[in-house]
Structure formats: structure tokens, C-alpha cells
Amino acid sequence: MYKKLFVMLFFSIFILNDVFRIGFGEGSFFHFINVLLLIFGVLYFAWGVKKNRIRPIFLYFVISFCLLMLIQIPLTTTVGKVLNLGMISSTYLVPLLILTVKLSKDEASELLGSFLKYFNFFCVLLVIVGLLDYVTNASIQLFLANTYFQGTAVANYINGEHIWGVYRYYSLIGMPLTITKYYLLFYSLNHIYAKQEKFLMKPAVIMIVSLIGVLLSGSKTGIILILFLILFASHNKRFKFGFYLFVAVALWGFTLTPIYQNIVKERFEQGVQSGDLSTGRNQVVEALFNSNVESPGFFVGKGINYSREVVANLHVTNIFNFEYPILMMPYDYGILCTFIFYSLLFIFPIILLLKKRNFFILVHFLVMSLMVNNNNGLATIATDYTAQFVLVLVLLLNMGKQKSEKKIANKVALSKTA
């Protein structure tokens, strides 16, 4: 049962995500609340309870987080309390309940294999569409802006960047930073699975697809992180010299392509000229520490999106958000809530991976953590950003250090019969 539930969670979180659900109407109930996630997430948690698979310390922290979040529902008056409860449940509460479920090494490895069969196909398809969009001067995303996303914030972003002559890949499933995240996950998860079992695709194909996906997104942070993964966190047992030679040639080739010249190089040059590679993020942080703005509350914050009001009072030109979740969440939900959240998603996983001495997965996890903490996704209500990270985290925390026990047992059995 858990396999089917996990696959349904994958489709509801990664494919039918919050950006895709804009098709139900921006700001509508089914846009803001991932109903499928609520259903399948609760069933998955119930399966974990029935099978006695719950991590107690995780559950205690999740219950504490839930109580603190529920207390704060009356603080937000921009939407109804029922819708507010639904958004908080879909964004945080149910995903964190999913995180409490423990799997065996073999179950986690098997689920990762199933996850990748769908995710790999989707990522390859996504990059093909992206290349077609790029060579046709953004015709596909402009079509979406004028049809599927018409009258929405996504359409404004697409049309605005096209007018300014900027190309970044927007699609049905998200904006450029979402595309970046998908291809970093694509690279990491394929190499983690290869270390446990085997490659499901040729390593060269994984690298090329990942590079193109990140390049199309135009993310400066994404470029740095994918290069780090390729150079220092790839699973290659044999032919290491040949692999690094191929990587060097491939990277040199990519620097000659129009995608690199017109998207990545241009964005890096703009950042260097402005003296800020963070696209304004660091300016608002500097303004915060140099201001007399109120400090966030300890037990509770001042409600959903209050951090945006704090940024507005800092009067930084063209910056409307902190972007960094660790700064946004204390103002919205309080320091204690933020501490619990970061303990569950980052501190506890690091401790567990260190205890297992699973350094390969730890490196990939740290790269993923840098990516998700470099934008406002984790702190933005009514999105599937946290749920996506949690679903991946469930797999990473339950993976073994070496190949799965089932595969080792099969090898031993074969050697005995030989």
C-alpha cells in the first residue's frame, strides 16, 4: 500500500503542484490547497502508525509545530480561517507528518527507484520542451502566458522578462527556481540510487540533461551547485580519468553555446557589475541589520506574509521579500516555530546521516539544503515547496550507506549456487 501512496504523493506534489493548479483559478481553493496531498499524506501517515513506523522525536517536534501554527491562525485576517487552516495543513502540517514515517533500507531504495522512473522521464521531457522554447524565442511560455496563465502573476513574470529581453525557462510546473531545483534533484537522486543499486540512465545523459535544465533556468546559484555536484559528488567507480576528461570537454563546450552566453554569462556579469550576485537578496538583509525594525516574536509571529510588511518598511528599491526562509519564518510564525521547522528538515537529518556515516548522501543533502534556503519557497504559504523537499528527505534518511540488503542477499545466494 505504501508504494502506491508514495507514487500518488509524487504526482500530486511534483506534477500537479501549486503552479500547475493555477489552472483551477489563481487564488482559488484548489490552487491554494493540495487536496490530493492532504488525502494521500494522511493515509501514508496512518499506514506508518499502523505499522509502528513512526520516529518518536520527529513526531513530538511535529506536534509542537502543529500546535504553534494552529494558535496563529487567528492572526491572519486576509483569508477565512477555514482556508487558512487548509493552507497551513497542505503547506506544512501534513508534509511534516509524512516525514515522521520510517522505512527500511530496502523499502527506501525500492521507492527511490520507482520515484526515478517517473521523475527521469518527466525531467527529460521538460528539458526537451525547454530547448524548443529557447530556440523559438520563448514561444511556448509566451503561449502559456496568454492562455493557461493569462491574468496571473506567472504571466506577468513571463511577459515582463520577455519585454526586457531576458530568457529564463518558465513551464506548467513552475518558475525558473523550481526548474533549477528539479534538475539538481534529478542529478543527486540518480547518483544516490546508482551508489545503492545501479544507474537507471547513462551518467553522461544525466549530466547533460541536468546542465541544460539548470542553464535554461538562468539560476546563478543553481549553476554553482550543479558544477559542484558534477565535479565532487558523482558516483563513478571506474574510468575516473575518462569521466573527468569528458566533464572538462563538456563544460568547455557548454560555455560556447548560446544558452550559456545569453542566459548564464549575462546574469553573472550583471551581478558583478551591480556588486551583488544575490539579485538584491543581500541588500535587504543588510538593510534589516542596519535598521530599527522590530524583532520577531519568540513563541508566535504576526501571521502569514507579515515578513513582507517588514521588508516594505525597509524601503529597499524593487525588493519585496527577504527571500531567505530563515528570516521570513520568524516574523511570520515566531522564532520557536522556525527552530522546530529547521530542526526537522535540516538539523535532525544531518545528525542522522552523520551517525550512519553516510557522507555521500550527506553531501547531496547539503547541496539540496543550500538550494531550498536560497529562495522563499519553504516560507511561502499555499505552495508544495516544503512537501517536495520532505518527500525527497524521506528517501534520503532511510537509505543505507551501501547497497540495499536485498541486493547483497541476492549476490550471496548467487555466489553459493555458482
Side-chain angles (χ1 to χ4, degrees):
M1 179 182 177
Y2 72 95
K3 296 177 189 175
K4 292 180 181 178
L5 289 174
F6 201 88
V7 170
M8 295 309 297
L9 283 169
F10 162 74
F11 277 102
S12 65
I13 293 170
F14 281 89
I15 311 300
L16 307 177
N17 65 11
D18 51 286
V19 174
F20 182 87
R21 295 196 307 275
I22 288 177
F24 292 112
E26 188 175 38
S28 67
F29 178 89
F30 289 105
H31 170 217
F32 279 162
I33 299 175
N34 190 335
V35 176
L36 292 177
L37 164 62
L38 294 179
I39 294 170
F40 295 119
V42 170
L43 289 174
Y44 183 82
F45 175 71
W47 173 84
V49 172
K50 182 180 178 182
K51 297 293 183 179
N52 196 24
R53 298 287 193 89
I54 304 300
R55 298 178 191 268
I57 186 66
F58 275 67
L59 183 60
Y60 298 150
F61 269 64
V62 170
I63 291 173
S64 301
F65 181 86
C66 291
L67 292 174
L68 286 169
M69 291 294 282
L70 292 175
I71 290 171
Q72 300 183 65
I73 285 178
L75 297 176
T76 302
T77 57
T78 53
V79 296
K81 289 182 175 58
V82 174
L83 181 59
N84 201 343
L85 175 61
M87 290 192 301
I88 289 174
S89 299
S90 177
T91 307
Y92 295 120
L93 306 191
V94 171
L96 291 179
L97 287 175
I98 293 170
L99 184 60
T100 65
V101 178
K102 186 177 181 179
L103 301 170
S104 71
K105 294 177 184 178
D106 287 334
E107 287 170 342
S109 183
E110 190 174 356
L111 283 180
L112 179 55
S114 299
F115 178 97
L116 285 174
K117 287 175 184 176
Y118 297 106
F119 193 55
N120 286 355
F121 173 80
F122 181 71
C123 285
V124 171
L125 178 63
L126 194 62
V127 88
I128 291 171
V129 174
L131 286 171
L132 289 173
D133 184 58
Y134 177 76
V135 299
T136 57
N137 195 26
S139 63
I140 296 175
Q141 60 180 277
L142 287 172
F143 172 77
L144 291 174
N146 294 318
T147 53
Y148 194 83
F149 294 127
Q150 187 175 23
T152 68
V154 177
N156 293 337
Y157 287 132
I158 294 171
N159 290 321
E161 293 198 349
H162 186 69
I163 290 170
W164 283 96
V166 175
Y167 180 87
R168 294 200 297 165
Y169 185 21
Y170 291 79
S171 77
L172 276 172
I173 55 89
M175 295 188 282
L177 290 179
T178 299
I179 303 294
T180 301
K181 181 180 66 178
Y182 276 32
Y183 284 101
L184 287 171
L185 290 176
F186 173 75
Y187 190 89
S188 285
L189 295 178
N190 271 286
H191 279 266
I192 289 170
Y193 187 73
K195 191 169 181 64
Q196 301 287 322
E197 303 289 341
K198 62 180 181 179
F199 276 111
L200 297 178
M201 301 175 68
K202 295 288 185 184
V205 175
I206 294 170
M207 184 186 75
I208 292 170
V209 169
S210 302
L211 269 175
I212 294 174
V214 175
L215 286 169
L216 287 171
S217 74
S219 167
K220 297 185 289 292
T221 301
I223 293 295
I224 294 169
L225 293 179
I226 193 63
L227 290 177
F228 174 85
L229 289 174
I230 290 170
L231 293 172
F232 304 109
S234 298
H235 174 64
N236 297 284
K237 284 188 173 181
R238 297 176 295 174
F239 312 119
K240 286 192 175 181
F241 175 77
F243 169 76
Y244 285 112
L245 180 63
F246 172 77
V247 168
V249 173
L251 293 178
W252 174 76
F254 271 111
T255 62
L256 303 178
T257 63
I259 295 176
Y260 173 82
Q261 296 288 337
N262 298 334
I263 303 176
V264 179
K265 184 180 177 182
E266 184 175 312
R267 283 178 59 78
F268 270 104
E269 288 176 347
Q270 289 172 352
V272 171
Q273 289 172 5
S274 66
D276 183 9
L277 288 172
S278 67
T279 321
R281 293 184 184 94
N282 293 342
Q283 290 179 20
V284 75
V285 174
E286 185 179 346
L288 174 67
F289 288 114
N290 291 331
S291 71
N292 294 318
V293 172
E294 63 182 298
S295 299
F298 183 78
F299 289 103
V300 294
K302 292 198 173 180
I304 296 169
N305 291 330
Y306 182 71
S307 57
R308 295 176 184 269
E309 296 181 28
V310 175
V311 172
N313 292 330
L314 294 174
H315 305 294
V316 180
T317 307
N318 295 325
I319 302 296
F320 310 101
N321 204 332
F322 281 120
E323 295 299 330
Y324 297 117
I326 200 165
L327 291 178
M328 294 172 64
M329 294 188 75
Y331 282 102
D332 293 345
Y333 311 119
I335 293 172
L336 183 57
C337 231
T338 305
F339 171 75
I340 295 172
F341 183 78
Y342 269 78
S343 295
L344 288 165
L345 263 65
F346 303 104
I347 298 172
F348 289 170
I350 289 172
I351 293 171
L352 284 174
L353 290 171
L354 285 172
K355 285 179 67 176
K356 290 182 178 182
R357 300 180 65 82
N358 202 334
F359 301 118
F360 185 77
I361 291 181
L362 177 61
V363 170
H364 283 271
F365 170 72
L366 291 174
V367 169
M368 295 176 197
S369 300
L370 284 171
M371 183 63 211
V372 298
N373 279 287
N374 198 50
N375 60 80
N376 61 32
L378 289 177
T380 303
I381 200 73
T383 71
D384 296 319
Y385 206 94
T386 297
Q388 290 171 354
F389 188 68
V390 163
L391 204 65
V392 171
L393 193 51
V394 167
L395 297 173
L396 300 188
L397 291 184
N398 294 289
M399 296 290 285
K401 183 178 178 183
Q402 302 298 334
K403 293 183 181 298
S404 68
E405 294 165 3
K406 186 184 294 184
K407 188 163 184 178
I408 292 171
N410 290 339
K411 284 188 173 182
V412 171
L414 286 172
S415 65
K416 287 182 178 179
T417 57

